[in-house]
């Protein structure tokens, strides 16, 4: 479908003229959460360093050291989709609070076991997995609440601030962990991580989040997960953005994947890798400040594609440079380009997904994004091993630059759809004596239209676009039929798997769909007639 767009006050190229990277900090809850997040993420990076160092200290061998990273990353692939479903079904504030308390308890247990000496390699892996599982269940919900905390036009700035916070924590955490471990022992890193959850728990507990008004039945996890995949499949804008982001990450991730090897070729000292990684983080922080002025001057597509192109060129150049200062400068530029693209696409996903499915769409986005990054890292590492690092980075950089051509078919919008609910359909009347449970079904819905003959072709074209709305919001099958006895009569049919799912359809249509529905109605001669038919079985 071709959605209507909501337009905030804009400058020449569509960016908000008043946009500022600092403006989201006016919201107290967002500001408090951001500050608490800095301490929490510093603790997370300290725990990562402590876990790796502890595994080495336990003389567990290289496999266990590598499995530490696996235990941290695997939950995001296993739990992303159910985590997104829970983020839309449950109260988001309570879910975030629960996961934060869960992670705090796991961190406390881990710290206690390390200090008392009862830790073992497998126990460390298990607790690392449990800690990361809490983060995996929280992340889609955490991102989904961002539009509740800041204005729509401030989402890009808020995403940039989150990038600043994360990179600041990444710059501080590992070094601080090394200092504490050297001075007071390895247990202090785990104690610091456990203490880092206090601020977030306190802020979330005090947050007075307005309750969502919901009249339709609550979804179940499996059904909600299927609904998310269906929504992404039939929402053209969301699907294009997710696929494009995954393809960009497949190529752009080559730089970070091979950066340790690049640093080792320049200098055998680990300081070189730390310096290059630090330059990348500083560049990301600087890029967050550049993003808003760039958006005020250029379109979203121009800024995002420019960021990807610069990232690709930086990747290409890294393979042929050997001087540490020059590489550091390239990392600064690459980090700035990276954060510009990440902030823009993350904000767009949050804007394009309606509230009822936002956490699930963000979970799919996160899965494809991380999947592209992981697959690309594996490929570029394999190529580097067989053909050399310069060759691998050359093709990764060229591939990243080539992805900017995707803007020709999947252009990033400067304005976004109005995805607020537009629940205007009349609820079906259930006669007395008909026992109709929420899980009764399948349900066949028919809509009869009497079409003006002069606009038959336009009507059918509009209905083909309307099919995506029906399927996006819950229909498993759809069709449009012409009455052979009354040629001006057309009947639209679609099937929904249960009565509850059809009731949810009433809440899922958005204000962006209004223009399409009004266009369909402009081609008919009288009000359409809707019928609801439930699948009949002998016991009914």
């Amino acid at each position: 479908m071709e959605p209507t767009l909501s337009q905030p006050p804009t400058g020449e190229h569509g960016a908000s003229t008043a946009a500022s990277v600092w403006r989201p900090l006016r919201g107290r809850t967002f500001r408090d959460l951001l500050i608490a997040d800095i301490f929490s993420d510093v603790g997370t990076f300290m725990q990562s360093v402590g876990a790796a160092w502890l595994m080495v200290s336990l003389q567990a061998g290289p496999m266990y050291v590598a499995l530490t990273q696996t235990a941290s990353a695997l939950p995001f692939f296993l739990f992303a989709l159910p985590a997104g479903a829970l983020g839309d079904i449950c109260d988001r504030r309570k879910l975030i609070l629960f996961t934060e308390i869960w992670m705090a308890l796991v961190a406390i247990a881990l710290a206690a076991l390390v200090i008392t000496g009862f830790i073992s390699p497998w126990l460390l892996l298990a607790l690392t997995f449990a800690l990361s599982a809490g983060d995996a269940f929280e992340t889609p919900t955490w991102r989904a609440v961002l539009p509740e905390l800041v204005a729509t036009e401030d989402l890009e700035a808020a995403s940039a601030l989150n990038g600043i916070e994360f990179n600041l924590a990444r710059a501080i955490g590992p070094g601080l962990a090394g200092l504490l471990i050297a001075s007071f022992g390895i247990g202090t890193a785990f104690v610091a991580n456990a203490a880092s959850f206090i601020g977030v728990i306190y802020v979330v507990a005090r947050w007075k989040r307005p309750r969502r008004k919901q009249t339709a039945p609550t979804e179940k996890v499996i059904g909600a997960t299927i609904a998310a995949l269906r929504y992404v499949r039939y929402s053209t804008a969301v699907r294009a953005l997710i696929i494009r982001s995954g393809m960009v990450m497949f190529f752009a991730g080559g730089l970070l994947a091979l950066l340790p090897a690049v640093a080792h070729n320049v200098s055998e000292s680990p300081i070189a890798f730390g310096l290059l990684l630090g330059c990348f983080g500083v560049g990301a922080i600087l890029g967050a400040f550049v993003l808003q002025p760039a958006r005020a001057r250029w379109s979203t597509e121009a800024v995002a594609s420019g960021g990807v192109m610069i990232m690709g060129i930086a990747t290409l150049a890294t393979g042929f440079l050997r001087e540490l200062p020059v590489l550091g400068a390239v990392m600064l530029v690459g980090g700035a380009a990276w954060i510009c693209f990440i902030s823009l696409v993350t904000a767009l996903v949050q804007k394009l997904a309606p509230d009822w499915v936002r956490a699930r769409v963000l979970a799919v986005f996160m899965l494809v994004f991380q999947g592209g990054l992981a697959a690309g890292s594996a490929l570029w590492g394999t190529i580097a091993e067989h053909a050399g690092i310069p060759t691998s980075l050359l093709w990764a950089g060229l591939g990243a630059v080539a992805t900017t051509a995707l803007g020709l078919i999947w252009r990033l919008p400067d304005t976004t759809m109005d995805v607020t609910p537009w629940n205007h359909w009349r609820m079906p009347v259930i006669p007395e004596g008909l026992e109709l449970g929420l899980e009764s079904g399948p349900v066949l819905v028919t809509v009869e239209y009497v079409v003006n003959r002069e606009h038959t072709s336009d009507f059918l074209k509009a209905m083909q676009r309307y099919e995506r709305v029906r399927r996006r919001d819950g229909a498993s099958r759809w069709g449009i039929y012409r009455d052979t006895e009354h040629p001006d009569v057309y009947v639209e049919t679609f099937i929904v798997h249960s009565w509850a799912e059809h009731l949810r359809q009433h809440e899922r249509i958005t204000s962006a769909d209004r223009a399409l529905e009004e266009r369909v109605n402009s081609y008919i001669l009288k009000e359409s007639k809707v019928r609801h038919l439930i699948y009949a079985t002998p016991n009914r």
Side-chain angles (χ1 to χ4, degrees):
M1 71 174 192
E2 293 294 331
T4 56
L5 300 173
S6 60
Q7 178 86 38
T10 59
E12 182 183 355
H13 293 278
S16 176
T17 55
S20 165
V21 72
W22 302 115
R23 195 165 68 179
L25 295 177
R26 296 175 183 176
R28 179 177 177 180
T29 303
F30 175 79
R31 182 177 65 248
D32 292 347
L33 281 173
L34 190 70
I35 294 172
D37 251 359
I38 294 176
F39 292 96
S40 181
D41 284 344
V42 166
T44 298
F45 281 110
M46 292 177 70
Q47 191 272 339
S48 298
V49 172
W53 187 258
L54 177 61
M55 196 65 84
V56 173
S57 301
L58 293 172
Q59 299 181 344
M63 184 189 73
Y64 283 95
V65 176
L67 284 176
T68 303
Q69 293 301 317
T70 303
S72 297
L74 186 59
F76 286 90
F77 289 95
L78 295 179
F79 305 132
L81 292 179
L86 287 174
D88 288 324
I89 295 173
C90 305
D91 183 285
R92 288 171 180 163
R93 172 187 163 276
K94 292 180 180 178
L95 181 60
I96 292 173
L97 189 60
F98 174 82
T99 54
E100 285 289 330
I101 293 174
W102 164 266
M103 288 187 287
L105 292 175
V106 173
I108 290 171
L110 184 54
L113 288 170
V114 172
I115 292 172
T116 56
F118 287 101
I119 196 68
S120 68
W122 280 110
L123 192 55
L124 176 59
L125 289 175
L127 290 174
T128 300
F129 181 91
L131 198 60
S132 188
D135 195 17
F137 272 98
E138 181 188 66
T139 299
T141 303
W142 191 271
R143 294 181 180 180
V145 300
L146 193 59
E148 301 178 28
L149 302 176
V150 300
T152 302
E153 60 269 23
D154 288 336
L155 277 175
E156 292 167 8
S159 296
L161 283 172
N162 281 332
I164 291 174
E165 174 270 315
F166 181 81
N167 283 284
L168 188 62
R170 180 162 59 181
I172 296 173
L176 185 58
L179 182 62
L180 286 178
I181 292 171
S183 302
F184 304 103
I186 197 167
T188 53
F190 295 94
V191 171
N193 183 45
S196 71
F197 291 98
I198 296 175
V200 178
I201 292 174
Y202 176 75
V203 174
V204 174
R206 293 182 69 248
W207 177 26
K208 304 298 182 182
R209 179 176 181 259
R211 290 194 174 186
R212 256 190 329 180
K213 293 182 179 180
Q214 181 176 329
T215 57
T218 302
E219 296 176 86
K220 297 180 180 178
V221 173
I222 295 178
T225 303
I226 294 172
L229 298 175
R230 184 179 59 231
Y231 185 91
V232 171
R233 178 183 177 185
Y234 290 105
S235 180
T236 307
V238 171
R239 187 182 71 246
L241 180 60
I242 289 176
I243 295 175
R244 184 176 175 184
S245 299
M247 293 179 69
V248 169
M249 286 302 104
F250 179 81
F251 292 101
L255 178 60
L256 288 178
L258 296 176
L259 191 59
V262 171
H264 186 267
N265 287 343
V266 175
S267 172
E268 293 185 359
S269 172
I271 296 176
F273 174 59
L275 179 62
L276 293 180
L277 194 60
C279 287
F280 190 89
V282 172
I285 294 173
L286 297 175
F289 291 101
V290 173
L291 177 60
Q292 293 307 313
R295 283 287 292 113
R297 185 171 183 180
W298 296 297
S299 66
T300 303
E301 177 61 44
V303 176
S305 293
V308 174
M309 185 169 291
I310 293 171
M311 185 71 182
I313 295 172
T315 302
L316 191 153
T318 301
F320 298 95
L321 296 174
R322 293 293 180 269
E323 297 295 328
L324 189 60
V326 180
L327 280 170
V330 171
M331 289 302 105
L332 280 172
V333 176
W338 173 277
I339 201 65
C340 285
F341 178 78
I342 299 297
S343 298
L344 285 174
V345 296
T346 303
L348 276 175
V349 173
Q350 292 165 335
K351 292 177 183 178
L352 292 172
D355 184 72
W356 70 269
V357 75
R358 185 177 296 131
R360 282 169 278 183
V361 170
L362 284 165
V364 175
F365 171 77
M366 183 174 68
L367 196 61
V368 174
F369 190 95
Q370 295 292 343
L373 197 61
S377 298
L379 176 64
W380 306 124
T382 302
I383 293 175
E385 185 172 342
H386 291 85
I389 294 174
T391 301
S392 181
L393 289 177
L394 170 65
W395 288 109
L398 291 175
V401 172
T403 61
T404 58
L406 295 173
L408 299 175
I409 54 175
W410 293 330
R411 184 178 178 82
L412 301 182
D414 290 311
T415 52
T416 54
M417 297 182 294
D418 183 359
V419 293
T420 56
W422 186 45
N423 190 356
H424 65 291
W425 292 342
R426 291 194 298 270
M427 295 297 292
V429 178
I430 307 301
E432 294 184 8
L434 177 62
E435 296 182 4
L436 190 61
L438 292 176
E439 297 306 316
S440 299
V443 178
L444 171 64
V445 182
T446 67
V447 187
E448 183 179 293
Y449 303 94
V450 180
V451 181
N452 186 333
R453 291 188 180 183
E454 297 179 358
H455 300 293
T456 298
S457 178
D458 293 330
F459 168 78
L460 291 175
K461 289 179 182 178
M463 289 304 297
Q464 292 298 323
R465 292 164 58 193
Y466 210 9
E467 176 188 2
R468 284 194 170 275
V469 176
R470 301 295 198 197
R471 289 185 179 272
R472 180 201 70 191
D473 292 347
S476 58
R477 297 181 64 183
W478 181 93
I480 183 77
Y481 301 88
R482 190 176 189 180
D483 192 326
T484 57
E485 296 181 3
H486 305 89
D488 294 336
V489 175
Y490 290 79
V491 179
E492 176 196 11
T493 68
F494 58 92
I495 294 177
V496 187
H497 82 269
S498 71
W499 185 249
E501 189 69 2
H502 176 62
L503 294 179
R504 296 185 192 109
Q505 281 187 301
H506 284 252
E507 292 190 342
R508 290 173 178 173
I509 193 165
T510 68
S511 297
D513 304 319
R514 180 185 299 217
L516 180 56
E517 186 169 316
E518 290 176 348
R519 183 177 301 179
V520 170
N521 291 334
S522 69
Y523 302 136
I524 63 179
L525 299 176
K526 60 181 182 180
E527 186 177 1
S528 56
K529 182 180 179 181
V530 183
R531 297 180 65 194
H532 301 83
L533 296 88
I534 195 78
Y535 186 78
T537 57
N539 61 349
R540 290 200 182 106

